[in-house]
Amino acid sequence: MKQIVRQIGVNKKAISWALIVVSLTTLPHTFAGTREQAKRIHDRLAGVPPNNDVLDQMESLVSAGDVRGAADIAMDNPAFYSVTLKNWITPWTNEDADVFAPLNDYTATVIGITRDEIDFRQILSGDILYIGAASAGVPAYSNTSNAHYQALEDQSADLKQVLQATTQSAVTGLPAEATAGVMTTRAAAKSYFKDGTNRAMFRFTLINHMCTDLEGLKDTSRSPDRIRQDVSRSPGGDSRIFNNSCVGCHSGMDPLVQAFAYYNYEYNIDSDPEGEQGSLQYNQVGETDTDTGSRTQGKYHINSNNFPYGFITTNDDWSNYWRQGLNKNLGWDQSLPDNGSGAKSMGQELASSQQFAGCQVTKVFKNICLRAPQDSADRMQISNMTNTFTSTGYNIKQVFADSADYCKGE
């Protein structure tokens, strides 16, 4: 009997210690000292450890409550641009979300916008492009090659120093009104305007910059009047599939994708099947596409026999049917019109939504905290950072600093 009691006593002690351990591991991670916090800020932002002098400076700032100052020191490290930002952005530039894809004008432009603390909404509408400075000694920017950026990567150029801002209209020949941030970069065109119907550009813009795929926006209550001819109204001979599924995405997507009606990625499919020497092509005012008899690219009229009574695209006028119905909760900016012409104004429509702002903040949080938001405290932090982001000029660098601050004790 005594032995049983003694055994129970031992187990009580074991249980008590176990409870203490569980309690400690489930409490917020606030036990790291200021030096450890400073190092974690640097590690998360720059991806490399700081030297002792840098760590001393950062520790002093963290101790004084100036975490943004400490974060700025970490973000001054070239690795923040050439490693952290490059790896964060590169998957957006290709359908496979390949982080190892080469440096290109899409990635470089977002890095430059981040470095210069430019309104991040410009990534979907700005006449903006970042190229390597002449002093880098690399081939000039080309509309038909990625050699300029490949050379920068091959020589491990310091992107923080070498990138300089210019405009797409000055370098690529696009009219200023036809520029739409990264959507009209060569890299994006090669990935998303190549072949197809230009719906890929819209879909991957949603995935990369609105944090949702089309399935998440399906709404069968919207009018199908702008759905193109290439979408069968009776797939497999069953009209219920269209009415209950296809219409949910296409009724909202097709009126918005019309903004890309004048764009294509042209390449020689015989000699260059991967389109490595291809270029973005835009039908300017006065140009007529031989397949359509208008400025609209021929790809907008392919497979017209699928449903001859479907919508025929004759211009780049877009409308946002998702301002009503289920997708009203994306938080569209009511100060903007719900329609327009061309990719630039459509990009402004997307980038001015609450969904866009929250998406950028959530992506940064995951990148710096190395996890998705998990609980009410995390969700409140996301909300607070989003409010700061939108009220301080959409400065994405501030979001990186705030995320590092929040996770510095973990």
Side-chain angles (χ1 to χ4, degrees):
M1 186 66 179
K2 290 180 179 180
Q3 184 176 359
I4 293 173
V5 171
R6 285 196 297 271
Q7 184 64 40
I8 292 175
V10 170
N11 287 341
K12 283 182 178 179
K13 291 179 180 178
I15 292 170
S16 296
W17 278 111
L19 290 173
I20 291 171
V21 170
V22 169
S23 297
L24 290 174
T25 57
T26 55
L27 285 172
H29 301 306
T30 57
F31 301 104
T34 53
R35 192 168 185 83
E36 289 79 8
Q37 291 176 9
K39 184 177 185 304
R40 185 163 290 118
I41 289 171
H42 194 282
D43 290 349
R44 295 287 177 84
L45 289 172
V48 294
N51 61 42
N52 285 332
D53 290 341
V54 168
L55 188 55
D56 288 343
Q57 295 176 48
M58 291 181 63
E59 180 186 8
S60 178
L61 289 169
V62 171
S63 298
D66 185 6
V67 178
R68 175 62 201 262
D72 281 340
I73 291 176
M75 290 187 288
D76 194 49
N77 189 300
F80 173 67
Y81 300 93
S82 300
V83 179
T84 302
L85 287 181
K86 181 179 179 296
N87 291 344
W88 182 57
I89 299 161
T90 298
W92 312 343
T93 69
N94 61 91
E95 289 193 8
D96 295 330
D98 182 8
V99 70
F100 300 110
L103 180 70
N104 53 57
D105 54 355
Y106 186 138
T107 304
T109 297
V110 181
I111 290 174
I113 287 173
T114 302
R115 182 196 67 189
D116 295 343
E117 303 187 38
I118 294 171
D119 185 329
F120 204 67
R121 291 175 296 179
Q122 292 293 305
I123 66 170
L124 296 186
S125 63
D127 181 8
I128 189 167
L129 181 72
Y130 277 79
I131 61 176
S135 59
V138 297
Y141 180 93
S142 170
N143 288 327
T144 60
S145 168
N146 192 50
H148 176 78
Y149 296 96
Q150 186 65 62
L152 289 175
E153 186 163 57
D154 289 344
Q155 68 181 34
S156 300
D158 181 352
L159 300 181
K160 173 176 171 284
Q161 297 294 334
V162 76
L163 291 180
Q164 64 179 24
T166 184
T167 60
Q168 293 180 30
S169 55
V171 175
T172 69
L174 277 176
E177 64 272 15
T179 60
V182 297
M183 293 191 293
T184 49
T185 58
R186 182 180 182 275
K190 180 176 180 293
S191 292
Y192 307 128
F193 281 148
K194 180 174 176 282
D195 304 327
T197 60
N198 285 357
R199 292 184 178 102
M201 178 65 78
F202 183 74
R203 181 195 171 208
F204 282 92
T205 298
L206 290 180
I207 292 172
N208 296 322
H209 303 300
M210 301 286 279
C211 292
T212 183
D213 204 341
L214 286 164
E215 288 295 319
L217 301 176
K218 186 178 290 186
D219 181 2
T220 57
S221 71
R222 300 299 88 206
S223 171
D225 65 320
R226 295 277 286 277
I227 300 180
R228 286 186 238 162
Q229 295 173 309
D230 63 327
V231 180
S232 172
R233 270 50 170 187
S234 297
D238 188 348
S239 62
R240 293 173 300 178
I241 296 176
F242 172 80
N243 291 327
N244 297 322
S245 182
C246 304
V247 71
C249 295
H250 282 280
S251 59
M253 171 174 58
D254 281 18
L256 288 165
V257 175
Q258 192 170 335
F260 302 134
Y262 302 156
Y263 298 89
N264 191 25
Y265 185 78
E266 293 193 345
Y267 67 103
N268 189 314
I269 194 170
D270 295 320
S271 62
D272 181 27
E274 299 302 318
E276 296 299 332
Q277 284 79 53
S279 63
L280 173 62
Q281 194 266 333
Y282 174 78
N283 285 344
Q284 301 196 35
V285 176
E287 290 188 58
T288 300
D289 191 284
T290 56
D291 293 327
T292 66
S294 68
R295 285 180 69 186
T296 302
Q297 295 282 353
K299 59 171 58 180
Y300 275 72
H301 288 196
I302 64 173
N303 299 322
S304 58
N305 289 331
N306 284 349
F307 188 71
Y309 305 104
F311 184 77
I312 299 174
T313 304
T314 59
N315 54 45
D316 65 350
D317 294 346
W318 61 268
S319 295
N320 186 1
Y321 284 17
W322 285 334
R323 279 194 171 223
Q324 304 299 324
L326 299 175
N327 296 315
K328 185 177 182 180
N329 62 9
L330 295 180
W332 305 104
D333 186 343
Q334 297 304 309
S335 69
L336 295 176
D338 62 0
N339 63 88
S341 299
K344 181 182 287 292
S345 58
M346 197 273 284
Q348 291 171 340
E349 172 80 341
L350 296 179
S352 297
S353 68
Q354 295 173 15
Q355 181 74 14
F356 173 86
C359 174
Q360 312 317 307
V361 171
T362 301
K363 289 189 300 182
V364 173
F365 182 97
K366 290 178 179 179
N367 184 267
I368 297 303
C369 295
L370 307 180
R371 60 179 178 80
Q374 297 174 340
D375 53 28
S376 59
D378 289 351
R379 289 188 287 275
M380 179 60 71
Q381 176 66 12
I382 294 291
S383 177
N384 292 338
M385 289 195 300
T386 301
N387 290 335
T388 301
F389 181 51
T390 57
S391 64
T392 56
Y394 290 81
N395 180 358
I396 199 70
K397 215 172 172 185
Q398 180 67 54
V399 181
F400 275 92
D402 289 344
S403 296
D405 182 8
Y406 182 73
C407 298
K408 68 181 182 298
E410 295 183 350

